[in-house]
Amino acid sequence: MDLDPYGYKPTLSICILFLCLFGISSRDHSLFSSSILSVFLYTAVLAGLVEILGWSGRLWSNQNLPNSTAFTMQITCTIMGPTPLLAANFIILAGIIRKIGDCYCRLSPRLYSIIFLSCDFIALAVQGGGGGIASAAKDTDTVNLGAHIMLAGIVFQLVVIICYMVLAIEFFWRYSRGTPVLSGSGVMSKLTGSTKVAVDEQDQLMIYHLQNLDVRESKAIYRTIELTDGFHGKIIKTQWLFNVFDGAMIVLAMYAFNVAHPGRLLVEDKETAMYTSTGSVSGVGNGGSAGTLQQLPGEKIQDLQTV
């Protein structure tokens, strides 16, 4: 039995603080179960519950530091906890694309969901497998094996986040400049009045979305360095690093969507739509046929060029 698995004693007040923060955020997310992105409930709340389990393990360690079960519980749950939250980001971007129009992105919303949610599930399975091996280990070598498997899952997840961020940034950039991927695609009509408010809310959601991804990437980088350094390395035995780059990063990510909740900002607006080549107002995606675009009252048709 390792009498000091952390290299420090988890601070009681910090553990209680994070338990309260994750509990409040999870409760608020659960209140939006009837939102248009109802599946967001299961991902965001699940992330919060797993984080609560992880910080409960750290609180347990404060009362019983040598307890190996508490240590394994906290490291496994705090590593796996953010994975459902990453899935929420994938779901949100698909919702934004459906709302604005997929002419600005290289993949359809369905493909975004299939590809990145599959990758997220793989990362979760690998991290969970590594955590299971580490928790059931009877010797140091097996514990290290479990840690290396978890590390592989985190590195894979980091690569997925980077690829996803590149595609998301390109989508937001094309939307802001009105430059679709393909010529002949429709363009979002930014009207005045109530419709403009809906567009501004989508812009706000995009900003929070990118900020959310940034903090998730920071947490993944920290965890990668931490586990590469090993269970007996200096990084894992420095408490403030964990509190800032693990706990605080996920708190910021969860509260970002408490403020800009997708169920509140991705609202249906019948006045905001895509111009199509038939003159109707509806959604059109990549590969939309070319034709004469119809003009809404007071609006100017934007000339689209092949990008």
Side-chain angles (χ1 to χ4, degrees):
M1 177 184 294
D2 190 347
L3 298 179
D4 188 12
Y6 293 88
Y8 59 86
K9 184 177 182 179
T11 304
L12 177 63
S13 59
I14 295 296
C15 294
I16 293 175
L17 173 63
F18 277 107
L19 282 171
C20 292
L21 289 173
F22 283 119
I24 293 171
S25 179
S26 299
R27 181 206 63 188
D28 289 348
H29 279 302
S30 68
L31 296 178
F32 290 95
S33 58
S34 60
S35 67
I36 59 173
L37 292 180
S38 59
V39 71
F40 182 84
L41 166 73
Y42 303 105
T43 54
V45 175
L46 178 60
L49 292 177
V50 176
E51 285 288 342
I52 288 172
L53 284 175
W55 282 92
S56 296
R58 292 180 69 83
L59 182 62
W60 185 4
S61 293
N62 174 269
Q63 304 300 312
N64 187 0
L65 187 60
N67 191 306
S68 60
T69 302
F71 177 78
T72 305
M73 172 181 168
Q74 67 86 28
I75 195 169
T76 302
C77 290
T78 54
I79 286 177
M80 295 176 59
T83 302
L85 193 61
L86 183 59
N89 281 274
F90 301 152
I91 295 168
I92 291 165
L93 181 60
I96 294 174
I97 293 172
R98 290 189 186 98
K99 184 67 180 175
I100 294 177
D102 60 358
C103 59
Y104 299 108
C105 63
R106 297 188 180 278
L107 300 175
S108 67
R110 178 178 174 81
L111 274 180
Y112 268 109
S113 298
I114 292 174
I115 293 173
F116 288 105
L117 287 176
S118 297
C119 290
D120 200 45
F121 177 79
I122 293 171
L124 179 63
V126 173
Q127 293 172 19
I133 292 174
S135 62
K138 302 297 184 182
D139 57 83
T140 303
D141 290 340
T142 307
V143 171
N144 289 334
L145 174 62
H148 291 152
I149 293 175
M150 284 191 288
L151 175 60
I154 293 172
V155 171
F156 174 73
Q157 191 175 64
L158 179 60
V159 172
V160 171
I161 292 174
I162 293 173
C163 293
Y164 174 76
M165 285 187 68
V166 170
L167 292 171
I169 290 172
E170 183 195 25
F171 169 74
F172 296 150
W173 179 83
R174 288 183 179 278
Y175 163 71
S176 65
R177 294 177 62 88
T179 54
V181 174
L182 299 177
S183 62
S185 298
V187 64
M188 187 69 177
S189 173
K190 292 190 176 182
L191 305 178
T192 59
S194 62
T195 301
K196 186 63 173 69
V197 172
V199 173
D200 288 342
E201 288 177 338
Q202 290 168 9
D203 292 342
Q204 180 185 0
L205 182 56
M206 289 180 187
I207 293 171
Y208 279 107
H209 184 73
L210 289 178
Q211 290 176 341
N212 192 296
L213 288 173
D214 285 340
V215 297
R216 281 288 297 109
E217 185 178 25
S218 299
K219 189 272 178 61
I221 292 173
Y222 163 73
R223 279 300 199 177
T224 300
I225 298 173
E226 177 195 56
L227 290 181
T228 301
D229 196 34
F231 276 166
H232 299 287
K234 183 177 181 180
I235 295 176
I236 201 171
K237 292 185 178 295
T238 305
Q239 181 174 203
W240 74 266
L241 288 174
F242 180 86
N243 294 338
V244 172
F245 292 106
D246 190 289
M249 292 297 103
I250 304 307
V251 166
L252 288 175
M254 291 193 65
Y255 276 86
F257 285 132
N258 284 126
V259 175
H261 196 280
R264 189 165 57 239
L265 297 184
L266 278 178
V267 294
E268 291 297 330
D269 191 331
K270 295 181 180 180
E271 296 181 40
T272 304
M274 301 291 298
Y275 293 121
T276 66
S277 59
T278 62
S280 61
V281 182
S282 61
V284 73
N286 291 341
S289 59
T292 303
L293 298 178
Q294 300 296 315
Q295 186 173 4
L296 292 180
E299 281 292 293
K300 179 181 178 180
I301 297 295
Q302 179 176 348
D303 182 28
L304 301 178
Q305 303 294 332
T306 302
V307 180

